[in-house]
Amino acid sequence: MDEGKESPGTRNCRGDGRVSAAELQGIMEGVMSGVEELQSQAALDIRRLTKTSSRNRRQLSAAVPPLVAMLRSGKASTCEAAILALLNLAVKDERRNIHLVRFKLLSVAEDFPSSRSEAAMVLTQNKISIVEAGALEPLLVFLDSTNSCLREYAAASFFTLSASYVNKTRISASGAIPLLIKVLEYGSQQAKVDSIAALHNLSLINDNLKTILALNPIPHMINFLKTCKKSSKSAEKCCALLESLISFNEGRQALTAEEGGVLTVVEILEEGSSPSREHSVGALLTMCESDRSRYKGLILKEGAIPGLLELTVQGTPTSQAKAHRLLELLRDSPYQRSKLKPDTLENIVSSIVSKIEGEEQAGKAKKMLAEMIQISMEQSLRHLQRRALVCTPKDLPPGNRRSEVSSK
């Protein structure tokens, strides 16, 4: 959040960001006063003081109920002051007690899954308190508002609040998902970024994923990916959500029905960040595995081969494995892998490249194939060199061993 204007309650703030008990009491009295001007000023103070201080977020957590009440004031400036203060109280709330929670997760989460949820509750208490205080109803109104600022702040609020596992079911039950998708269609770019992030958070619950899919969000997601920076965090969340939706037949149909849908996924495969590329190759692989005869030609037509070749060398281990598997499915053999003789990636790709239409695309793929083979050879050479360096005398044939008796 942008820093608010300096207020009387913050001028006397200590250099380390801490405030005295008297100053905290003054802020709390202001926010609970019922006087709109005093409440708005207190909200501005809370916003400023909680921007970077987790200590202040804890100490001012009691301000949540009166701030939520301010959301119903009906005055835009008061609502904005309250929502920004609440956002700062909730954002980065997960940093609280992080070492304790990390210990809990590492020590007991494997045997006691409920401990993971308990730890998450410790981490996101302010997020939960905001929802429990009744913030969802006014936030839904703002999300559907013609006031662009309130709509953006509401989208950001749903993004932040949905990070809490406890809040996910409450938010989806409130009817937020259709409005978030509406914002994804008509909102500002920043509102779309936060809506995508909120939908991604909510999609981690399977029932929510089905609800999202039923509202046909894929055309809006594709438009978002076309306009956003391919390597951005928001693109990563969008690609992760897209991969989840592609696991359903309705999702695959929606993607292929959208003009430039598969092409956009292929572009992410080439230009996206490492997580985005992993999600994009996962989506394409899911499509090809679900119905190879239906989707193979479309994937090849959109020029996926160069990006897949690059992933086999430079991708994460997961990306590499998925790219290898997809390349196998894209070649002409209709048989399952288990029925094929062992084959090299180079032979698989050569088979595909020879069938690609378009001289420019085939040339690019063949060039990348040559580069891939070169890199593979260099990696193999480095591997042999490393083995030679760590090879001990007992590993060598008897005739090649040097005497272990030092010379005099």
Side-chain angles (χ1 to χ4, degrees):
M1 299 299 150
D2 293 336
E3 193 169 314
K5 293 181 179 179
E6 189 179 56
S7 60
T10 59
R11 292 194 190 104
N12 298 324
C13 188
R14 301 173 190 174
D16 60 0
R18 298 184 182 184
V19 289
S20 67
E23 290 165 333
L24 288 172
Q25 182 179 352
I27 291 171
M28 289 303 301
E29 289 176 354
V31 79
M32 298 177 70
S33 67
V35 179
E36 195 168 88
E37 184 178 349
L38 294 177
Q39 287 182 310
S40 295
Q41 184 59 62
L44 291 173
D45 291 343
I46 292 169
R47 177 191 176 192
R48 180 183 178 96
L49 292 171
T50 55
K51 181 178 181 182
T52 57
S53 172
S54 58
R55 176 189 178 91
N56 289 342
R57 292 186 194 108
R58 293 194 299 272
Q59 291 184 326
L60 289 165
S61 59
V64 166
L67 286 170
V68 170
M70 288 173 62
L71 297 178
R72 296 182 171 86
S73 71
K75 187 175 179 180
S77 60
T78 301
C79 293
E80 287 183 20
I83 198 171
L84 290 171
L86 287 167
L87 271 170
N88 276 9
L89 281 167
V91 75
K92 298 184 180 178
D93 187 29
E94 61 275 7
R95 293 180 181 272
R96 184 157 67 91
N97 296 331
I98 190 66
H99 298 297
L100 171 62
V101 173
R102 186 175 294 150
F103 172 77
K104 280 188 178 183
L105 292 177
L106 291 175
S107 59
V108 299
E110 289 297 326
D111 296 325
F112 303 98
S114 61
S115 297
R116 189 181 298 273
S117 297
E118 178 186 347
M121 290 179 68
V122 173
L123 288 172
T124 60
Q125 189 57 50
N126 283 353
K127 291 180 174 68
I128 296 170
S129 298
I130 291 169
V131 172
E132 290 179 342
L136 293 184
E137 183 181 349
L139 287 175
L140 287 171
V141 174
F142 300 154
L143 199 60
D144 201 27
S145 171
T146 56
N147 184 317
S148 59
C149 287
L150 285 177
R151 189 166 57 240
E152 284 188 10
Y153 297 153
S157 298
F158 278 108
F159 165 35
T160 300
L161 296 174
S162 63
S164 164
Y165 180 82
V166 174
N167 287 343
K168 291 186 194 326
T169 53
R170 296 173 179 173
I171 291 173
S172 57
S174 74
I177 291 177
L179 292 177
L180 288 168
I181 293 175
K182 184 177 178 181
V183 170
L184 186 57
E185 183 177 5
Y186 297 111
S188 66
Q189 187 66 16
Q190 184 57 53
K192 290 179 180 180
V193 165
D194 290 325
S195 293
I196 279 287
L199 289 168
H200 171 258
N201 285 344
L202 295 173
S203 72
L204 299 181
I205 295 179
N206 284 335
D207 287 344
N208 288 347
L209 186 62
K210 295 175 182 177
T211 301
I212 293 169
L213 181 61
L215 294 165
N216 194 29
I218 288 182
H220 313 314
M221 294 170 64
I222 293 300
N223 287 333
F224 177 79
L225 287 173
K226 287 177 179 178
T227 58
C228 75
K229 186 177 180 181
K230 300 295 189 291
S231 59
S232 65
K233 289 291 183 182
S234 54
E236 291 176 10
K237 290 181 172 65
C238 191
C239 289
L241 177 57
L242 185 62
E243 183 184 12
S244 297
L245 296 174
I246 293 301
S247 65
F248 298 90
N249 183 51
E250 297 88 341
R252 296 189 289 273
Q253 291 178 350
L255 178 67
T256 54
E258 179 65 17
E259 184 177 356
V262 176
L263 176 60
T264 300
V265 177
V266 170
E267 289 175 348
I268 295 291
L269 185 71
E270 295 180 337
E271 304 171 25
S273 64
S274 183
S276 292
R277 299 178 77 189
E278 188 170 307
H279 292 306
S280 62
V281 70
L284 295 174
L285 178 58
T286 298
M287 292 173 64
C288 210
E289 287 182 329
S290 69
D291 192 339
R292 180 179 177 275
S293 61
R294 180 176 184 177
Y295 296 116
K296 170 194 163 186
L298 182 57
I299 294 172
L300 285 173
K301 178 184 175 183
E302 299 298 359
I305 297 302
L308 291 173
L309 288 176
E310 188 174 344
L311 275 185
T312 62
V313 178
Q314 299 179 353
T316 65
T318 301
S319 296
Q320 290 180 349
K322 289 181 177 180
H324 274 266
R325 175 60 180 150
L326 182 53
L327 284 168
E328 289 178 338
L329 291 173
L330 292 177
R331 68 173 176 174
D332 282 344
S333 173
Y335 301 106
Q336 297 294 323
R337 184 178 183 180
S338 59
K339 296 180 180 179
L340 293 171
K341 294 182 180 180
D343 211 344
T344 64
L345 178 62
E346 290 80 2
N347 289 339
I348 293 171
V349 178
S350 295
S351 174
I352 299 172
V353 169
S354 65
K355 304 296 189 299
I356 295 178
E357 296 180 2
E359 183 178 344
E360 181 179 349
Q361 184 178 324
K364 183 177 180 181
K366 289 177 180 178
K367 180 181 178 181
M368 293 196 69
L369 174 58
E371 293 174 352
M372 181 196 69
I373 296 172
Q374 179 64 30
I375 293 173
S376 177
M377 292 174 62
E378 291 173 356
Q379 289 176 338
S380 299
L381 180 59
R382 286 195 294 271
H383 178 67
L384 291 172
Q385 290 172 337
R386 284 195 297 270
R387 289 196 54 165
L389 289 174
V390 300
C391 188
T392 60
K394 63 185 176 64
D395 296 321
L396 297 172
N400 294 335
R401 292 182 186 171
R402 296 180 58 184
S403 172
E404 296 182 357
V405 179
S406 59
S407 57
K408 299 294 184 181

